Amino acid sequence: VQLQASGGGLVKTGESLRLSCVDSRRTSRNNAMGWFRQAPGKEREFVAGISWNSGSTNYADSVKGRFTISRDNAKDTMYLLMNSLKPEDTAIYYCGTYLRSVVGGTPRYWGRGTQVTVSS
């Protein structure tokens, strides 16, 4: 598994971004994947997760109703659509692949993060 996250940037409150995570080795199709984030001075936290076939999704309470996780296994890519962004969403966002088909525990593989900054 080799993951690369992209799509971060600087936006204003209320705007949107879409993050992408590509598995260049094409080995995540049968595994759950997820997005995590880490703000300065804070621990990494779960944001959203998706099962291998997109049959189930999970979200942190702080992003429910604003963020949408999806994946396209044919493209070996996972996405995170982030709407109504708030300054507290500012963090480095990481994608990860679990060693299981549904979300649970901690991802085994991680990609490099992408910075999301939301200005007020």
Side-chain angles (χ1 to χ4, degrees), residues 1 3 28 31-34 36 44 95-100 104-111:
V1 176
L3 305 174
S28 297
N31 299 85
M33 300 182 72
F36 288 68
R44 189 174 298 188
C95 58
T97 293
Y98 294 85
L99 280 181
R100 50 188 293 169
T106 302
R108 174 63 177 84
Y109 303 101
W110 294 95

Side-chain angles (χ1 to χ4, degrees), residues 2 6 13-14 17-18 21 25 30-32 37 46 49 52 55 75 77 81 86-87 90 93 95 104 118 120:
Q2 186 165 357
S6 63
T13 297
L17 278 175
R18 189 179 79 158
C21 175
R25 294 187 177 176
N30 294 323
N31 299 85
R37 66 187 181 187
F46 172 80
W52 73 281
K75 296 181 179 180
T77 304
L81 176 60
K86 306 174 181 180
T90 294
Y93 283 70
C95 58
V118 185
S120 57

Side-chain angles (χ1 to χ4, degrees), residues 70-88:
S70 62
R71 66 189 294 171
D72 183 343
N73 284 346
K75 296 181 179 180
D76 298 291
T77 304
M78 176 180 63
Y79 304 97
L80 185 67
L81 176 60
M82 305 185 294
N83 294 324
S84 303
L85 282 162
K86 306 174 181 180
E88 51 263 44

Side-chain angles (χ1 to χ4, degrees), residues 31-73:
N31 299 85
M33 300 182 72
W35 288 98
F36 288 68
R37 66 187 181 187
Q38 187 166 18
K42 295 186 177 181
E43 293 188 354
R44 189 174 298 188
E45 64 175 2
F46 172 80
V47 176
I50 188 166
S51 64
W52 73 281
N53 64 350
S54 303
S56 65
T57 56
N58 307 79
Y59 296 93
D61 288 342
S62 59
V63 306
K64 279 182 182 176
R66 300 188 298 122
F67 291 11
T68 302
I69 190 171
S70 62
R71 66 189 294 171
D72 183 343
N73 284 346

